[in-house]
Each structure stands twice: as C-alpha cells, then as structure tokens.
Amino acid sequence: MPEINKDTEAKIKEAAKRIFVQKGFDGARVRDIAEEAGVNIALMNYYFRSKEQLFEQIYTEVFTGFFNRILSILNEETPFEVKIWQLVDKYIDFLLENAMVPSFVLSELTRNDGQIFKKFNVSGVIQNAYFTKQLKDEIEKGNYRDIEPLQLIMTILGSMVFPFIAKPVVRYIGDLDEKGFQAFVMERKKIIPVMIMTYLRTK
C-alpha cells in the first residue's frame, strides 16, 4: 500500500469540499471529487473509505468554521453593542468570501435532522456564552426589552444569511449585478446593528 501523503489527502479534501458545497451529499459523485482532485478513484478510496466518511469530515470542518466564527465573537468581553456591530461586520465578510456555505450547512442540517447541533451541544454553548450573560444583565437593569437570547441570535443571523440563501431572488427584485449585490450586502452592515439596537433599547 502507498504511504499516507498529507498533501494528497489535503488535495482530496479541498476538492471534496468544493464539490459537496456545490452539489450537497446526494448530488456529489466520487468520480467528480476524484477528477476535481486530479487523482483516481482507487487512491481516493485508500485515503477515505467511503463518500459518507469523506463527507462527514468535510461537513464537520465547514460547520465548525461556520459556528466558531460566531462563538468567538459571542464570547469576547466587549461591550454588548460593540459586539453586535462586530458580529455583523465580520460575519458578512465571511459570507461574501464563502457564499455557498450557508446553503450547504442548512440543506444538510435538514437532511440529517440537525445531528451536528447535538454533537456540538450548540444549545448549551449559546446558553453559556458571554453574550447571553451580557444580554440578561442589560434586561435586568431595564436597559433592554425582555427577549430570549436564541430569538435575538436567530434574528441577527437570519438578517445576515437570508440574502445569500435567496441571492437569485434578491438580485432579480433589486435588478442587481454581482457588484450591486455586494454593495447591497455591505449596506446591511450598517442597517442590521441599528435595527437590532433600536429594537432592544427601552430608553
């Protein structure tokens, strides 16, 4: 048997990521991934025994990157309003660079009934995030209206992610080319935090 070559393994994983993100699990073929990576199917099977095993690795890595970017900001000990601006700013930049990732993550969450959320204990992570503590403190002080942390997080994420998931519709309605769509999304960096903070404040 050939020795494990980390460069070849990484090349296969990068090719698989591109194919899975574009086509999802059901639409991707092992042959497509092998051709994208420039290797034969036998070599692919040597490194990864099945499409399922390869997909699980890729999906876990994509989801981890997707989730950890949010978590790192939620746990920063910065003022709450600053955190909202940072979350929107950094995450929209991430989405502009990885426009296919939200559709990939959401479609596969539906396919496997959200098992990866349970694997990473997403519920517990959000409940224990510094963001949640800050929000509850502000609510107790009477500075913010009473809202569940999950409701707020989903509102923020939905406001950012939806234009990318519905990109063809947004471009059609707004009569936008690619440059126009990017300008539209960049404008949302200013709009979303203002809307969120306007809703939250009670004074």
Side-chain angles (χ1 to χ4, degrees):
M1 285 189 174
E3 293 183 1
I4 294 292
N5 183 305
K6 293 297 181 182
D7 290 339
T8 300
E9 186 177 29
K11 186 164 63 173
I12 292 171
K13 287 175 70 175
E14 280 302 311
K17 180 179 176 180
R18 289 192 292 271
I19 297 296
F20 283 135
V21 167
Q22 291 171 10
K23 300 183 178 182
F25 177 81
D26 293 329
R29 300 183 306 165
V30 172
R31 184 177 300 278
D32 296 332
I33 297 169
E35 289 177 357
E36 182 77 11
V39 301
N40 58 48
I41 293 176
L43 190 59
M44 263 200 63
N45 289 334
Y46 172 71
Y47 282 92
F48 302 97
R49 294 183 179 180
S50 66
K51 185 174 88 166
E52 288 78 6
Q53 183 189 71
L54 178 56
F55 178 83
E56 185 173 344
Q57 281 197 35
I58 298 299
Y59 187 70
T60 299
E61 289 177 9
V62 171
F63 181 84
T64 300
F66 186 81
F67 182 59
N68 282 348
R69 284 175 179 268
I70 299 171
L71 184 60
S72 64
I73 298 172
L74 294 183
N75 280 325
E76 286 180 4
E77 295 191 12
T78 54
F80 190 85
E81 184 170 355
V82 172
K83 186 170 292 184
I84 298 294
W85 283 89
Q86 287 179 334
L87 180 63
V88 173
D89 181 69
K90 292 181 180 180
Y91 204 64
I92 284 180
D93 284 345
F94 170 76
L95 292 172
L96 283 169
E97 295 172 6
N98 303 273
M100 295 295 293
V101 167
S103 296
F104 173 62
V105 170
L106 292 174
S107 65
E108 296 309 321
L109 281 174
T110 301
R111 191 180 72 87
N112 65 21
D113 196 29
Q115 289 301 313
I116 198 164
F117 268 63
K118 299 171 186 175
K119 178 179 178 180
F120 282 89
N121 188 26
V122 172
S123 176
V125 168
I126 290 176
Q127 289 174 12
N128 294 312
Y130 189 66
F131 171 93
T132 301
K133 178 184 181 301
Q134 288 176 297
L135 177 61
K136 289 180 177 178
D137 286 347
E138 294 296 331
I139 291 171
E140 287 178 5
K141 292 174 185 175
N143 294 331
Y144 294 166
R145 71 172 66 234
D146 192 2
I147 182 173
E148 287 293 324
L150 181 60
Q151 287 282 5
L152 182 58
I153 291 171
M154 289 300 104
T155 298
I156 297 169
L157 291 181
S159 297
M160 292 188 290
V161 171
F162 182 77
F164 290 90
I165 295 175
K167 184 176 179 180
V169 177
V170 173
R171 287 188 56 175
Y172 169 73
I173 293 174
D175 192 23
L176 304 172
D177 58 14
E178 183 59 29
K179 187 175 179 180
F181 175 78
Q182 292 186 16
F184 170 82
V185 171
M186 292 297 286
E187 183 67 17
R188 293 186 66 72
K189 282 188 177 186
K190 304 173 186 176
I191 294 171
I192 295 170
V194 171
M195 288 194 303
I196 294 298
M197 295 310 303
T198 299
Y199 172 80
L200 285 176
R201 289 193 187 100
T202 57
K203 300 176 183 178

